Amino acid sequence: MKELYGFIRENGDVGIRNYALVIPSVVCSSETAARIASHFSNVPYIANQHGCVQIGDDAEQTERVLVNMGKNPNVAAVLVVGLGCETVQGKRVADKIAESGKRVEFVNIQDEGDTLKAEEKGVRLVQRMIEDINLMKKTKIDISQIRIGAECGGSDATSGIASNPVVGYVMDKVVENGGTAMFSEVPEIIGAEHILAKRAVSKEVSDKILNVTKKWENRAYAAGVDIRGGQPTPGNIQGGITTIEEKSLGAIHKGGTARIQDVLDYAQIPNKPGLYLMDTPGQDIESVVGMVAGGCHAILFTTGRGTPTGNPIAPIIKITANSVTYSKMKANMDFDASPVIAGKESIEQSGEKLFDMLIDVLNGKLTKAEELNHREFGIYKTISTF
């Protein structure tokens, strides 16, 4: 295995990127946060569309996502931008992120007087952060310190046959070497949940897998619809997937074969290594954000039809086993698994190549989404706004 290098954080975590991140605590401060970040060439911000007039679990989940995005080890320092009257209070978000030991600053628009004054102060603070970040050096780390997520979006028939099994091979290898892996999109395991339940480490976890799947079905029924009306999507059907069960049987391959340690809440950080299922929706961006907020350093993202989406702080490696998609979307695709479909490579051979690419990306090689500055962001909402 190639040597691996990263940045050691104050709490012992390791980062494979070294960002100063700007986080608006509410949609009302998102534009100011974007203006602050725009003064720098490689400072991402989170396009938060929530944070006010939220209640209960919904407000708690938004805060958890913002806090855990700030705690992600790929982030070296954080500027939180608040308005002052929001539900998800910016100062509280900043204080919780600061528990990780990293540098955190806070700007409140109403306290500063207006957006221009808040922008000016924020730019000064980020500039100082960057000066400190530029002094940080990489050191040798181990794969056991890494968390990897798996996502599939824009799936077609090649996804379940080749690209998802190739990703599953890499996920198994990460877990075998003491690392952490997670996959998500619970609505896309419906019809295959009984297979995953048999892989649980205990009956308690097995019951969690079955119950969380049933929850999504019941949520759809409560709204007067059948979840099968949205799964598979029109693009999935055009790509050769005919039923939700067929899609699910292909989708679960990206989780590999390891025993499932637990079912994580959306944006929950696991407390020990191993394989996890995270409770997220099927929407790609919201699902990826949940796993990155859950501490993932990078995401392995399979797509038969092709999708360009990225993330503000975690590299997204795009994998397709559709040779036409790889050829047409070369600017977006990182890895070609189509030799598996053509019978020229085995799952294991392609998996070893993808694992080598993963190590290169963890060591700093930019993915196509990073090169194109794709930094899509979205938080899954559990309750309609009141």
Side-chain angles (χ1 to χ4, degrees), residues 57 105 140 148 189 226 233 237 244 260 270 280 284 296 331 344 386:
D57 291 343
E105 301 286 356
K140 189 174 179 180
I148 300 298
I189 68 171
D226 187 337
T233 67
I237 294 169
I244 189 171
I260 299 172
T280 79
D284 298 336
C296 283
K344 297 178 180 179
F386 288 86

Side-chain angles (χ1 to χ4, degrees), residues 122-138:
V123 169
R124 290 199 308 270
L125 290 169
V126 172
Q127 180 60 50
R128 293 171 193 159
M129 289 178 182
I130 292 174
E131 291 169 0
D132 291 340
I133 287 172
N134 287 340
L135 298 175
M136 297 179 181
K137 303 295 183 183
K138 283 187 173 182

Side-chain angles (χ1 to χ4, degrees), residues 60-124:
E60 292 173 8
Q61 180 161 286
T62 295
E63 182 172 300
R64 182 169 69 252
V65 171
L66 298 179
V67 169
N68 287 354
M69 287 290 287
K71 286 184 175 181
N72 185 289
N74 289 349
V75 175
V78 179
L79 173 67
V80 177
V81 182
L83 176 60
C85 54
E86 61 268 31
T87 302
V88 179
Q89 283 285 300
K91 183 62 167 62
R92 186 170 65 241
V93 170
D95 288 344
K96 288 187 176 182
I97 296 172
E99 293 172 0
S100 66
K102 65 184 65 176
R103 178 175 179 176
V104 182
E105 301 286 356
F106 174 61
V107 172
N108 187 294
I109 296 171
Q110 291 173 351
D111 287 348
E112 295 304 318
D114 57 38
T115 57
L116 294 178
K117 294 185 181 72
E119 180 183 352
E120 181 182 3
K121 181 176 180 179
V123 169
R124 290 199 308 270

Side-chain angles (χ1 to χ4, degrees), residues 217-234:
E217 286 197 274
N218 290 340
R219 184 177 292 170
Y221 290 140
V225 296
D226 187 337
I227 202 166
R228 290 160 181 79
Q231 294 286 357
T233 67

Side-chain angles (χ1 to χ4, degrees), residues 56-283:
D57 291 343
D58 200 41
E60 292 173 8
Q61 180 161 286
T62 295
E63 182 172 300
R64 182 169 69 252
V65 171
L66 298 179
V67 169
N68 287 354
M69 287 290 287
K71 286 184 175 181
N72 185 289
N74 289 349
V75 175
V78 179
L79 173 67
V80 177
V81 182
L83 176 60
C85 54
E86 61 268 31
T87 302
V88 179
Q89 283 285 300
K91 183 62 167 62
R92 186 170 65 241
V93 170
D95 288 344
K96 288 187 176 182
I97 296 172
E99 293 172 0
S100 66
K102 65 184 65 176
R103 178 175 179 176
V104 182
E105 301 286 356
F106 174 61
V107 172
N108 187 294
I109 296 171
Q110 291 173 351
D111 287 348
E112 295 304 318
D114 57 38
T115 57
L116 294 178
K117 294 185 181 72
E119 180 183 352
E120 181 182 3
K121 181 176 180 179
V123 169
R124 290 199 308 270
L125 290 169
V126 172
Q127 180 60 50
R128 293 171 193 159
M129 289 178 182
I130 292 174
E131 291 169 0
D132 291 340
I133 287 172
N134 287 340
L135 298 175
M136 297 179 181
K137 303 295 183 183
K138 283 187 173 182
T139 189
K140 189 174 179 180
I141 61 174
D142 191 79
I143 191 70
S144 63
Q145 297 171 283
I146 296 297
R147 300 187 187 105
I148 300 298
E151 179 78 10
C152 55
S155 300
D156 70 358
T158 69
S159 299
I161 295 170
S163 54
N164 283 345
V166 168
V167 166
Y169 177 90
V170 176
M171 297 277 276
D172 282 346
K173 190 160 183 173
V174 170
V175 173
E176 287 167 6
N177 282 278
T180 303
M182 64 181 74
F183 64 115
S184 56
E185 300 178 292
V186 172
E188 297 186 14
I189 68 171
I190 292 173
E193 66 272 21
H194 61 292
I195 298 173
L196 292 180
K198 292 177 182 178
R199 287 170 47 195
V201 295
S202 66
K203 185 180 184 305
E204 179 186 6
V205 175
S206 177
D207 288 343
K208 280 186 177 183
I209 293 170
L210 297 174
N211 290 337
V212 75
T213 309
K214 191 65 175 177
K215 178 194 74 174
W216 279 94
E217 286 197 274
N218 290 340
R219 184 177 292 170
Y221 290 140
V225 296
D226 187 337
I227 202 166
R228 290 160 181 79
Q231 294 286 357
T233 67
N236 297 151
I237 294 169
Q238 290 172 21
I241 297 172
T242 61
T243 66
I244 189 171
E245 291 84 2
E246 188 176 281
K247 183 176 182 179
S248 296
L249 287 168
I252 63 173
H253 280 297
K254 67 182 182 287
T257 61
R259 302 294 296 275
I260 299 172
Q261 300 297 314
D262 204 353
V263 176
L264 301 172
D265 291 334
Y266 187 81
Q268 180 184 352
I269 301 172
N271 57 16
K272 63 180 181 180
L275 177 68
Y276 294 85
L277 172 66
M278 178 176 281
D279 181 10
T280 79
Q283 294 97 320

Side-chain angles (χ1 to χ4, degrees), residues 328-349:
K328 288 174 64 176
M329 297 189 68
K330 280 188 176 179
N332 303 110
M333 297 296 107
D334 296 287
F335 187 84
D336 181 13
S338 66
V340 175
I341 295 290
K344 297 178 180 179
E345 288 182 0
S346 67
I347 296 294
E348 293 77 12
Q349 289 170 327

